[in-house]
Amino acid sequence: MNGCPPALTRATSRDTLMKRWEYCHGEIIGSGFGRTGTNSLKLALERLGFGPCHHMFEVRDHPEQLPAWEAVARGERVNWDQVFQGYRAQADWPGARVWRELASHWPEAKVILTVRDPDEWFDSVQATIAPFLAARGQHPDQHANAIAVMGQALIAEQVFNDRLSDRAQATRVFREHIEAVRDEIAPERLLVFDVREGWEPLCDFLGVPVPDMPYPKTNSSKEFKDEEWKQD
């Protein structure tokens, strides 16, 4: 779609992909909340040739992307073609915050809803995203602080009514989000995906062969804490 070439069948450098997909975007929309295996999904999609895949780590690594998401957090309209220029897919926040808008903007795009046990998800959030957002203004890096401020508004306040650390509230919102995506996206367009299922359902949904390698497993709570939220 959108003039995109077919998926690649072997690993390709990000720079090469960025050049090849310069005007390509909106083929896969990841509607799942962060901490549902979204980084593993990003890596899996890129290994299958559906990359680059946008993720919060892209905002971390490319500060020039942040102003657009700050605008979204303020409720301003943005040009989604520009926001995701060069990306063939999207997973994780901040994109998952606007899954409805993206699904409407790219009506032919496939939608992948990553899911996990709500209480396990909540515990993971409390070990990772919640403390990162709560420490806004205290991170040693200015860009990390700006991401935390944006994330507080876009995620904690707008999605969870500023009750991200309230288990009952957060898990209720999590469940309602899953139901909303199921209800609003046509079944033939949607994959509800637990990353523990591995390659098979994902590859079947995307119509590509199963790779001869383990499904990516990364960005555990410990790995999240060890990540450097700063520009090198």
Side-chain angles (χ1 to χ4, degrees), residues 4-94:
C4 297
L8 303 182
T9 57
R10 57 184 177 83
T12 307
S13 72
R14 185 180 187 281
D15 288 344
T16 299
L17 283 166
M18 286 298 288
K19 291 176 182 177
R20 186 170 183 183
W21 311 122
E22 182 177 1
Y23 301 106
C24 177
H25 34 62
E27 189 166 359
I28 297 173
I29 297 166
S31 60
F33 283 173
R35 309 311 302 168
T36 58
T38 51
N39 192 53
S40 295
L41 176 62
K42 167 185 166 65
L43 296 177
L45 290 172
E46 291 177 342
R47 290 178 186 177
L48 292 173
F50 295 93
C53 178
H54 195 270
H55 183 281
M56 184 68 86
F57 288 163
E58 296 292 305
V59 183
R60 176 198 66 185
D61 295 340
H62 302 280
E64 68 275 9
Q65 295 186 9
L66 182 58
W69 292 107
E70 291 173 326
V72 174
R74 293 191 298 267
E76 299 173 10
R77 295 186 64 178
V78 298
N79 184 321
W80 296 120
D81 293 323
Q82 292 180 356
V83 171
F84 290 101
Q85 184 173 6
Y87 291 95
R88 191 169 184 175
Q90 166 272 321
D92 196 61
W93 285 315

Coordinates of all heavy atoms in Angstrom, one line a residue, residues 4-94:
C4 N 4.4 1.1 -1.3 CA 5.5 0.5 -0.6 C 6.0 -0.8 -1.4 O 5.1 -1.5 -1.9 CB 5.1 0.0 0.8 SG 4.6 1.3 1.9
P5 N 7.3 -1.0 -1.5 CA 7.7 -2.3 -2.0 C 7.4 -3.5 -1.1 O 7.0 -3.3 0.0 CB 9.3 -2.1 -2.1 CG 9.5 -0.6 -1.9 CD 8.3 -0.1 -1.1
P6 N 7.5 -4.7 -1.6 CA 7.2 -5.9 -0.8 C 8.1 -5.9 0.4 O 9.2 -5.3 0.4 CB 7.4 -7.0 -1.7 CG 7.3 -6.5 -3.1 CD 7.8 -5.1 -3.0
A7 N 7.7 -6.7 1.4 CA 8.5 -6.9 2.6 C 9.8 -7.5 2.2 O 9.9 -8.3 1.3 CB 7.8 -7.8 3.6
L8 N 10.9 -7.1 3.0 CA 12.2 -7.7 2.7 C 12.3 -9.0 3.3 O 11.5 -9.4 4.3 CB 13.3 -6.8 3.3 CG 13.3 -5.3 2.8 CD1 14.5 -4.6 3.5 CD2 13.4 -5.3 1.3
T9 N 13.2 -9.9 2.8 CA 13.3 -11.2 3.3 C 14.5 -11.5 4.1 O 14.8 -12.6 4.6 CB 13.2 -12.2 2.2 OG1 14.3 -11.9 1.2 CG2 11.9 -12.2 1.5
R10 N 15.3 -10.4 4.3 CA 16.5 -10.6 5.1 C 16.8 -9.3 5.9 O 16.2 -8.3 5.6 CB 17.8 -10.9 4.2 CG 18.0 -9.8 3.2 CD 19.2 -10.3 2.3 NE 19.4 -9.3 1.2 CZ 20.0 -8.2 1.2 NH1 20.6 -7.8 2.4 NH2 20.2 -7.4 0.2
A11 N 17.7 -9.3 6.9 CA 17.9 -8.2 7.7 C 18.5 -7.1 6.8 O 19.3 -7.3 6.0 CB 18.9 -8.5 8.8
T12 N 18.1 -5.8 7.1 CA 18.6 -4.7 6.4 C 18.8 -3.6 7.4 O 18.1 -3.4 8.3 CB 17.5 -4.2 5.4 OG1 17.1 -5.3 4.6 CG2 18.0 -3.1 4.5
S13 N 19.9 -2.8 7.1 CA 20.3 -1.7 8.0 C 19.2 -0.7 8.1 O 18.4 -0.5 7.1 CB 21.6 -1.1 7.6 OG 21.4 -0.3 6.5
R14 N 19.1 0.0 9.2 CA 18.1 1.1 9.4 C 18.3 2.2 8.3 O 17.3 2.7 7.8 CB 18.1 1.6 10.8 CG 17.0 2.6 11.0 CD 17.0 3.2 12.5 NE 15.8 4.0 12.7 CZ 15.7 5.2 12.2 NH1 16.6 5.8 11.5 NH2 14.5 5.9 12.5
D15 N 19.5 2.6 8.1 CA 19.8 3.6 7.1 C 19.3 3.3 5.7 O 18.7 4.1 5.0 CB 21.2 4.0 7.1 CG 21.7 4.7 8.3 OD1 20.9 5.2 9.1 OD2 22.9 4.7 8.6
T16 N 19.5 2.0 5.4 CA 19.0 1.5 4.1 C 17.5 1.6 4.0 O 16.9 2.0 3.0 CB 19.5 0.1 3.8 OG1 21.0 0.1 3.8 CG2 19.0 -0.4 2.4
L17 N 16.9 1.1 5.1 CA 15.4 1.1 5.1 C 14.9 2.5 5.1 O 13.9 2.8 4.4 CB 14.9 0.4 6.4 CG 15.0 -1.1 6.4 CD1 14.8 -1.7 7.8 CD2 14.0 -1.7 5.5
M18 N 15.5 3.4 5.8 CA 15.0 4.8 5.8 C 15.0 5.4 4.4 O 14.1 6.1 4.0 CB 15.8 5.6 6.8 CG 15.5 5.3 8.2 SD 13.8 5.7 8.7 CE 13.8 7.5 8.7
K19 N 16.1 5.1 3.7 CA 16.2 5.6 2.3 C 15.1 4.9 1.4 O 14.4 5.6 0.6 CB 17.6 5.4 1.7 CG 18.6 6.2 2.4 CD 20.0 5.9 1.9 CE 21.1 6.7 2.6 NZ 22.4 6.3 2.2
R20 N 15.0 3.6 1.5 CA 14.1 2.9 0.7 C 12.6 3.2 0.9 O 11.8 3.3 0.0 CB 14.3 1.4 0.9 CG 13.5 0.5 -0.2 CD 13.9 -0.9 -0.1 NE 13.2 -1.7 -1.1 CZ 13.3 -2.9 -1.3 NH1 14.1 -3.6 -0.6 NH2 12.6 -3.6 -2.2
W21 N 12.3 3.4 2.2 CA 10.9 3.7 2.6 C 10.7 5.2 2.9 O 9.8 5.6 3.6 CB 10.5 2.9 3.8 CG 10.8 1.5 3.8 CD1 11.6 0.8 4.7 CD2 10.4 0.5 2.9 NE1 11.7 -0.5 4.4 CE2 11.0 -0.7 3.2 CE3 9.7 0.5 1.7 CZ2 10.8 -1.9 2.5 CZ3 9.5 -0.6 1.0 CH2 10.1 -1.8 1.4
E22 N 11.4 6.1 2.2 CA 11.4 7.5 2.5 C 9.9 8.0 2.4 O 9.5 8.9 3.2 CB 12.3 8.3 1.6 CG 12.3 9.8 1.9 CD 13.3 10.5 1.0 OE1 13.9 9.9 0.1 OE2 13.4 11.7 1.1
Y23 N 9.2 7.6 1.5 CA 7.8 8.1 1.3 C 6.8 7.0 1.7 O 5.6 7.1 1.3 CB 7.6 8.6 -0.1 CG 8.6 9.7 -0.5 CD1 9.6 9.4 -1.3 CD2 8.4 10.9 0.0 CE1 10.5 10.4 -1.7 CE2 9.3 11.9 -0.3 CZ 10.4 11.7 -1.1 OH 11.3 12.7 -1.4
C24 N 7.2 6.0 2.5 CA 6.3 4.9 2.8 C 5.9 5.0 4.2 O 6.7 5.2 5.1 CB 7.1 3.6 2.5 SG 6.2 2.1 2.9
H25 N 4.6 4.8 4.5 CA 4.2 4.8 5.9 C 2.8 4.2 6.0 O 2.1 4.0 5.0 CB 4.2 6.3 6.4 CG 3.8 7.3 5.4 ND1 2.6 7.3 4.8 CD2 4.5 8.3 4.9 CE1 2.6 8.3 3.9 NE2 3.7 8.9 3.9
G26 N 2.4 3.9 7.2 CA 1.0 3.5 7.5 C 0.6 2.1 7.0 O -0.5 1.9 6.6
E27 N 1.5 1.1 7.0 CA 1.2 -0.2 6.6 C 0.7 -1.1 7.7 O -0.2 -1.9 7.6 CB 2.3 -0.9 5.8 CG 1.9 -2.1 5.2 CD 2.9 -2.6 4.2 OE1 4.0 -1.9 4.0 OE2 2.7 -3.7 3.6
I28 N 1.3 -0.9 8.9 CA 0.9 -1.6 10.1 C 0.8 -0.7 11.3 O 1.7 0.1 11.6 CB 2.0 -2.7 10.4 CG1 2.1 -3.7 9.3 CG2 1.6 -3.4 11.7 CD1 3.2 -4.7 9.4
I29 N -0.3 -0.7 12.0 CA -0.6 0.1 13.1 C -0.6 -0.8 14.4 O -1.4 -1.7 14.5 CB -2.0 0.8 13.0 CG1 -1.9 1.8 11.8 CG2 -2.3 1.6 14.2 CD1 -3.3 2.3 11.3
G30 N 0.2 -0.4 15.3 CA 0.2 -1.2 16.6 C -0.6 -0.4 17.6 O -0.3 0.6 18.1
S31 N -1.8 -1.0 18.0 CA -2.7 -0.3 18.9 C -2.5 -0.7 20.3 O -3.2 -0.2 21.2 CB -4.2 -0.6 18.5 OG -4.4 -2.0 18.5
G32 N -1.6 -1.7 20.6 CA -1.4 -2.2 22.0 C -0.7 -1.2 22.9 O 0.2 -0.5 22.4
F33 N -1.1 -1.1 24.1 CA -0.4 -0.2 25.1 C 1.1 -0.7 25.3 O 1.4 -1.8 25.1 CB -1.1 -0.3 26.5 CG -2.4 0.4 26.6 CD1 -3.1 0.3 27.7 CD2 -2.8 1.3 25.6 CE1 -4.3 1.0 27.8 CE2 -4.0 2.0 25.7 CZ -4.8 1.9 26.8
G34 N 1.9 0.3 25.7 CA 3.3 -0.1 26.0 C 3.3 -1.1 27.2 O 2.4 -1.1 28.0
R35 N 4.3 -1.9 27.2 CA 4.5 -3.0 28.1 C 3.6 -4.2 27.8 O 3.3 -5.0 28.7 CB 4.3 -2.6 29.6 CG 5.1 -1.3 30.0 CD 6.5 -1.4 29.6 NE 7.2 -2.6 30.2 CZ 8.4 -3.0 29.9 NH1 9.1 -2.3 28.9 NH2 9.0 -4.0 30.5
T36 N 3.3 -4.3 26.5 CA 2.6 -5.6 26.1 C 3.4 -6.3 25.0 O 2.9 -6.9 24.1 CB 1.2 -5.2 25.5 OG1 1.3 -4.3 24.4 CG2 0.3 -4.6 26.5
G37 N 4.7 -6.1 25.1 CA 5.6 -6.7 24.1 C 5.8 -5.9 22.9 O 6.2 -6.4 21.8
T38 N 5.6 -4.6 23.0 CA 5.7 -3.7 21.8 C 7.1 -3.6 21.2 O 7.3 -3.5 20.0 CB 5.1 -2.3 22.1 OG1 5.8 -1.8 23.3 CG2 3.6 -2.4 22.4
N39 N 8.1 -3.6 22.1 CA 9.5 -3.6 21.5 C 9.8 -4.9 20.8 O 10.5 -4.8 19.8 CB 10.5 -3.3 22.6 CG 11.9 -2.9 22.0 OD1 12.0 -2.0 21.2 ND2 12.9 -3.6 22.5
S40 N 9.4 -6.0 21.4 CA 9.6 -7.3 20.7 C 8.9 -7.3 19.4 O 9.4 -7.8 18.4 CB 9.2 -8.4 21.6 OG 9.9 -8.5 22.7
L41 N 7.7 -6.7 19.3 CA 6.9 -6.6 18.1 C 7.7 -5.7 17.1 O 7.7 -6.1 15.9 CB 5.5 -6.1 18.3 CG 4.7 -5.8 17.1 CD1 4.4 -7.1 16.3 CD2 3.3 -5.2 17.5
K42 N 8.2 -4.6 17.5 CA 8.9 -3.7 16.7 C 10.1 -4.5 16.0 O 10.3 -4.5 14.8 CB 9.5 -2.6 17.5 CG 10.6 -1.7 16.8 CD 11.1 -0.7 17.7 CE 12.4 -0.1 17.1 NZ 12.3 0.7 15.9
L43 N 10.9 -5.2 16.8 CA 12.0 -6.0 16.3 C 11.5 -7.1 15.3 O 12.1 -7.3 14.3 CB 12.8 -6.6 17.4 CG 13.5 -5.6 18.3 CD1 14.2 -6.3 19.5 CD2 14.4 -4.7 17.6
A44 N 10.4 -7.7 15.7 CA 9.9 -8.8 14.8 C 9.4 -8.3 13.5 O 9.7 -8.8 12.4 CB 8.7 -9.5 15.5
L45 N 8.7 -7.1 13.5 CA 8.3 -6.6 12.2 C 9.4 -6.1 11.4 O 9.4 -6.3 10.1 CB 7.4 -5.3 12.5 CG 6.0 -5.7 13.1 CD1 5.3 -4.4 13.5 CD2 5.1 -6.5 12.1
E46 N 10.5 -5.6 12.0 CA 11.6 -5.2 11.2 C 12.4 -6.4 10.6 O 12.9 -6.3 9.5 CB 12.5 -4.3 12.1 CG 11.9 -3.0 12.3 CD 12.7 -2.1 13.3 OE1 13.6 -2.6 14.0 OE2 12.4 -0.8 13.3
R47 N 12.4 -7.5 11.4 CA 13.1 -8.7 10.9 C 12.3 -9.3 9.7 O 12.8 -10.0 8.9 CB 13.3 -9.7 12.0 CG 14.3 -9.2 13.0 CD 14.5 -10.2 14.2 NE 15.5 -9.6 15.1 CZ 15.8 -10.2 16.3 NH1 15.2 -11.4 16.6 NH2 16.6 -9.6 17.1
L48 N 11.0 -9.1 9.7 CA 10.1 -9.6 8.7 C 10.1 -8.7 7.4 O 9.5 -9.0 6.4 CB 8.7 -9.8 9.2 CG 8.5 -10.9 10.2 CD1 7.0 -10.8 10.7 CD2 8.8 -12.3 9.6
G49 N 10.8 -7.5 7.6 CA 10.9 -6.6 6.4 C 9.9 -5.5 6.5 O 9.8 -4.6 5.6
F50 N 9.1 -5.4 7.6 CA 8.1 -4.3 7.7 C 8.6 -3.2 8.5 O 8.1 -2.8 9.6 CB 6.8 -4.8 8.3 CG 6.1 -5.8 7.4 CD1 6.3 -7.2 7.6 CD2 5.2 -5.4 6.4 CE1 5.7 -8.1 6.8 CE2 4.6 -6.4 5.6 CZ 4.8 -7.7 5.8
G51 N 9.8 -2.7 8.2 CA 10.4 -1.6 8.9 C 10.9 -0.5 8.1 O 10.8 -0.6 6.8
P52 N 11.3 0.6 8.7 CA 11.5 0.8 10.1 C 10.1 0.8 10.8 O 9.1 1.2 10.2 CB 12.2 2.1 10.3 CG 12.8 2.4 8.9 CD 11.9 1.7 7.9
C53 N 10.1 0.4 12.1 CA 8.8 0.5 12.9 C 9.0 1.6 14.0 O 10.0 1.6 14.7 CB 8.6 -0.9 13.5 SG 7.2 -1.0 14.6
H54 N 8.0 2.4 14.0 CA 8.1 3.5 15.0 C 7.7 3.0 16.4 O 6.9 2.1 16.5 CB 7.1 4.6 14.6 CG 7.3 5.9 15.4 ND1 6.7 6.2 16.6 CD2 8.1 7.0 15.1 CE1 7.1 7.4 17.0 NE2 8.0 7.9 16.2
H55 N 8.3 3.6 17.4 CA 8.2 3.1 18.8 C 8.7 4.3 19.7 O 9.3 5.2 19.2 CB 9.1 1.9 19.0 CG 9.1 1.3 20.4 ND1 9.8 1.8 21.5 CD2 8.5 0.1 20.8 CE1 9.6 1.0 22.5 NE2 8.8 0.0 22.1
M56 N 8.3 4.3 20.9 CA 8.8 5.4 21.8 C 10.3 5.6 21.8 O 10.8 6.7 21.9 CB 8.3 5.2 23.2 CG 8.7 6.4 24.2 SD 7.8 7.9 23.8 CE 6.2 7.6 24.7
F57 N 11.0 4.5 21.6 CA 12.5 4.6 21.5 C 12.9 5.4 20.3 O 14.0 6.0 20.3 CB 13.1 3.2 21.4 CG 13.0 2.4 22.7 CD1 13.2 1.0 22.7 CD2 12.8 3.0 23.9 CE1 13.2 0.3 23.9 CE2 12.7 2.4 25.1 CZ 12.9 1.0 25.1
E58 N 12.1 5.5 19.3 CA 12.5 6.3 18.1 C 12.4 7.8 18.5 O 13.2 8.6 18.1 CB 11.5 6.1 16.9 CG 11.6 4.7 16.4 CD 13.0 4.5 15.7 OE1 13.3 5.2 14.8 OE2 13.7 3.5 16.1
V59 N 11.4 8.2 19.4 CA 11.3 9.5 19.9 C 12.5 9.8 20.8 O 13.1 10.9 20.8 CB 10.0 9.8 20.6 CG1 9.9 11.2 21.1 CG2 8.8 9.4 19.7
R60 N 12.9 8.8 21.6 CA 14.1 9.0 22.4 C 15.3 9.2 21.6 O 16.2 10.1 21.9 CB 14.3 7.7 23.3 CG 15.5 7.7 24.1 CD 15.9 6.3 24.5 NE 16.2 5.4 23.4 CZ 16.5 4.1 23.5 NH1 16.3 3.5 24.7 NH2 16.8 3.4 22.4
D61 N 15.5 8.5 20.5 CA 16.7 8.5 19.7 C 16.8 9.6 18.7 O 17.8 9.9 18.1 CB 17.0 7.2 19.0 CG 17.2 6.0 20.0 OD1 17.5 6.3 21.2 OD2 17.0 4.9 19.6
H62 N 15.6 10.2 18.4 CA 15.5 11.3 17.4 C 14.7 12.5 18.0 O 13.5 12.6 17.8 CB 14.8 10.7 16.1 CG 15.5 9.5 15.6 ND1 16.7 9.7 14.8 CD2 15.3 8.2 15.7 CE1 17.1 8.4 14.4 NE2 16.3 7.6 15.0
P63 N 15.4 13.3 18.7 CA 14.8 14.5 19.4 C 13.9 15.3 18.5 O 13.0 16.0 18.9 CB 15.9 15.2 20.0 CG 17.0 14.3 20.1 CD 16.9 13.3 19.0
E64 N 14.2 15.3 17.2 CA 13.5 16.2 16.2 C 12.0 15.7 16.1 O 11.1 16.4 15.6 CB 14.1 16.2 14.9 CG 14.1 14.9 14.1 CD 15.2 13.9 14.5 OE1 16.0 14.2 15.4 OE2 15.4 12.9 13.7
Q65 N 11.7 14.5 16.6 CA 10.4 14.0 16.5 C 9.5 14.5 17.6 O 8.2 14.4 17.5 CB 10.4 12.4 16.5 CG 11.0 11.8 15.3 CD 10.8 10.3 15.3 OE1 10.1 9.7 16.1 NE2 11.5 9.6 14.4
L66 N 10.1 14.9 18.7 CA 9.3 15.2 19.9 C 8.3 16.3 19.7 O 7.2 16.2 20.3 CB 10.3 15.5 21.1 CG 9.6 15.8 22.4 CD1 8.7 14.7 22.9 CD2 10.7 16.2 23.5
P67 N 8.7 17.5 19.0 CA 7.7 18.5 18.9 C 6.3 18.1 18.4 O 5.3 18.6 18.8 CB 8.4 19.6 18.0 CG 9.8 19.3 18.3 CD 10.0 17.8 18.5
A68 N 6.3 17.2 17.5 CA 5.0 16.7 16.9 C 4.2 16.1 18.0 O 3.0 16.3 18.1 CB 5.2 15.8 15.7
W69 N 4.8 15.3 18.8 CA 4.1 14.6 19.9 C 3.7 15.5 21.0 O 2.7 15.3 21.7 CB 4.9 13.4 20.4 CG 5.0 12.3 19.3 CD1 6.1 12.0 18.5 CD2 3.9 11.5 18.8 NE1 5.7 11.0 17.6 CE2 4.4 10.7 17.8 CE3 2.6 11.4 19.2 CZ2 3.6 9.8 17.1 CZ3 1.8 10.5 18.5 CH2 2.3 9.7 17.5
E70 N 4.5 16.5 21.2 CA 4.1 17.5 22.2 C 2.8 18.3 21.7 O 1.9 18.6 22.5 CB 5.2 18.5 22.4 CG 6.4 17.9 23.2 CD 7.6 18.8 23.2 OE1 7.8 19.6 22.3 OE2 8.3 18.8 24.2
A71 N 2.8 18.5 20.4 CA 1.6 19.1 19.8 C 0.4 18.2 19.9 O -0.7 18.6 20.3 CB 1.8 19.4 18.3
V72 N 0.6 16.9 19.7 CA -0.5 15.9 19.9 C -1.0 16.0 21.3 O -2.2 16.0 21.6 CB -0.1 14.5 19.5 CG1 -1.2 13.5 19.8 CG2 0.2 14.4 18.0
A73 N -0.1 16.0 22.3 CA -0.4 16.0 23.7 C -1.2 17.3 24.0 O -2.1 17.3 25.0 CB 0.8 16.0 24.6
R74 N -1.0 18.4 23.3 CA -1.8 19.6 23.5 C -3.1 19.6 22.8 O -3.9 20.6 22.9 CB -0.9 20.8 23.1 CG 0.3 21.1 23.9 CD 0.9 22.5 23.5 NE 1.3 22.5 22.1 CZ 2.6 22.3 21.7 NH1 3.5 21.9 22.5 NH2 2.9 22.4 20.4
G75 N -3.4 18.6 22.1 CA -4.7 18.5 21.4 C -4.6 19.1 20.0 O -5.7 19.3 19.4
E76 N -3.5 19.4 19.5 CA -3.4 20.1 18.2 C -3.3 19.0 17.1 O -2.9 17.9 17.3 CB -2.1 20.9 18.1 CG -2.1 22.0 19.2 CD -0.7 22.7 19.2 OE1 0.1 22.5 18.3 OE2 -0.5 23.5 20.2
R77 N -3.8 19.4 15.9 CA -3.8 18.5 14.8 C -2.4 18.5 14.2 O -1.7 19.5 14.1 CB -4.8 19.0 13.7 CG -6.2 18.9 14.2 CD -7.2 19.2 13.1 NE -7.1 18.3 12.0 CZ -7.9 18.3 10.9 NH1 -8.8 19.3 10.7 NH2 -7.7 17.4 9.9
V78 N -2.0 17.3 13.7 CA -0.7 17.2 13.1 C -0.9 16.4 11.8 O -1.9 15.8 11.5 CB 0.3 16.4 14.0 CG1 0.6 17.2 15.3 CG2 -0.2 15.0 14.3
N79 N 0.2 16.5 10.9 CA 0.1 15.8 9.6 C 0.7 14.4 9.9 O 1.9 14.2 10.1 CB 0.9 16.5 8.6 CG 0.9 15.9 7.2 OD1 0.9 14.7 7.1 ND2 0.8 16.7 6.2
W80 N -0.1 13.3 9.9 CA 0.4 12.0 10.2 C 1.4 11.5 9.2 O 2.3 10.7 9.5 CB -0.8 11.0 10.4 CG -1.7 11.3 11.5 CD1 -3.0 11.6 11.4 CD2 -1.3 11.4 12.9 NE1 -3.5 11.9 12.7 CE2 -2.5 11.8 13.6 CE3 -0.1 11.3 13.6 CZ2 -2.5 12.0 15.0 CZ3 -0.1 11.5 14.9 CH2 -1.3 11.8 15.6
D81 N 1.2 11.9 7.9 CA 2.2 11.5 6.9 C 3.6 12.0 7.2 O 4.6 11.4 7.0 CB 1.7 12.0 5.5 CG 0.5 11.3 5.0 OD1 0.3 10.1 5.3 OD2 -0.4 12.0 4.4
Q82 N 3.6 13.2 7.8 CA 4.9 13.8 8.1 C 5.4 13.2 9.4 O 6.6 12.9 9.5 CB 4.8 15.3 8.3 CG 4.5 16.1 7.0 CD 4.4 17.6 7.2 OE1 4.4 18.1 8.4 NE2 4.2 18.3 6.1
V83 N 4.6 13.0 10.4 CA 5.0 12.4 11.7 C 5.6 11.0 11.5 O 6.6 10.7 12.1 CB 3.8 12.3 12.6 CG1 4.2 11.5 13.9 CG2 3.3 13.7 13.0
F84 N 5.0 10.2 10.6 CA 5.5 8.8 10.4 C 6.3 8.7 9.0 O 6.5 7.6 8.6 CB 4.4 7.9 10.4 CG 3.8 7.7 11.8 CD1 2.6 8.4 12.2 CD2 4.5 6.9 12.8 CE1 2.1 8.2 13.5 CE2 4.0 6.8 14.1 CZ 2.8 7.5 14.4
Q85 N 6.7 9.8 8.5 CA 7.5 9.7 7.2 C 8.7 8.8 7.4 O 9.5 9.0 8.4 CB 7.9 11.1 6.8 CG 8.6 11.0 5.4 CD 8.9 12.4 4.9 OE1 8.7 13.4 5.5 NE2 9.4 12.4 3.6
G86 N 8.9 7.8 6.5 CA 10.0 6.9 6.6 C 9.8 5.7 7.4 O 10.6 4.8 7.4
Y87 N 8.6 5.6 8.1 CA 8.3 4.4 8.9 C 7.2 3.6 8.2 O 6.2 4.1 7.7 CB 7.8 4.8 10.2 CG 8.9 5.4 11.1 CD1 9.1 6.7 11.2 CD2 9.7 4.5 11.8 CE1 10.1 7.3 11.9 CE2 10.8 5.1 12.6 CZ 10.9 6.4 12.6 OH 12.0 7.0 13.4
R88 N 7.4 2.3 8.1 CA 6.4 1.4 7.5 C 5.4 0.9 8.5 O 4.3 0.4 8.1 CB 7.2 0.2 6.8 CG 6.3 -0.6 5.9 CD 7.2 -1.6 5.1 NE 6.3 -2.3 4.2 CZ 6.8 -3.1 3.2 NH1 8.1 -3.3 3.2 NH2 6.0 -3.7 2.4
A89 N 5.8 0.9 9.8 CA 4.9 0.3 10.8 C 5.1 1.2 12.1 O 6.0 2.0 12.2 CB 5.3 -1.1 11.1
Q90 N 4.2 0.9 13.0 CA 4.2 1.6 14.3 C 3.8 0.7 15.4 O 2.9 -0.2 15.2 CB 3.3 2.8 14.2 CG 2.9 3.5 15.6 CD 1.7 2.8 16.2 OE1 0.7 2.5 15.5 NE2 1.7 2.6 17.5
A91 N 4.4 0.8 16.5 CA 4.1 0.0 17.7 C 4.4 0.8 19.0 O 5.3 1.7 18.9 CB 4.8 -1.3 17.8
D92 N 3.7 0.6 20.0 CA 4.0 1.2 21.3 C 3.4 2.6 21.3 O 2.9 3.2 20.3 CB 5.5 1.3 21.6 CG 5.9 1.6 23.0 OD1 5.5 0.8 23.9 OD2 6.5 2.6 23.3
W93 N 3.4 3.2 22.5 CA 3.2 4.7 22.6 C 4.4 5.4 22.0 O 5.5 4.9 22.0 CB 3.1 5.0 24.1 CG 1.7 4.6 24.7 CD1 0.5 4.8 24.2 CD2 1.5 4.0 26.0 NE1 -0.5 4.3 25.0 CE2 0.1 3.8 26.1 CE3 2.4 3.5 27.0 CZ2 -0.4 3.2 27.2 CZ3 1.8 2.9 28.1 CH2 0.4 2.8 28.2
P94 N 4.2 6.6 21.6 CA 3.0 7.4 21.6 C 2.0 7.1 20.5 O 0.8 7.6 20.6 CB 3.5 8.9 21.5 CG 4.8 8.7 20.6 CD 5.4 7.4 21.0

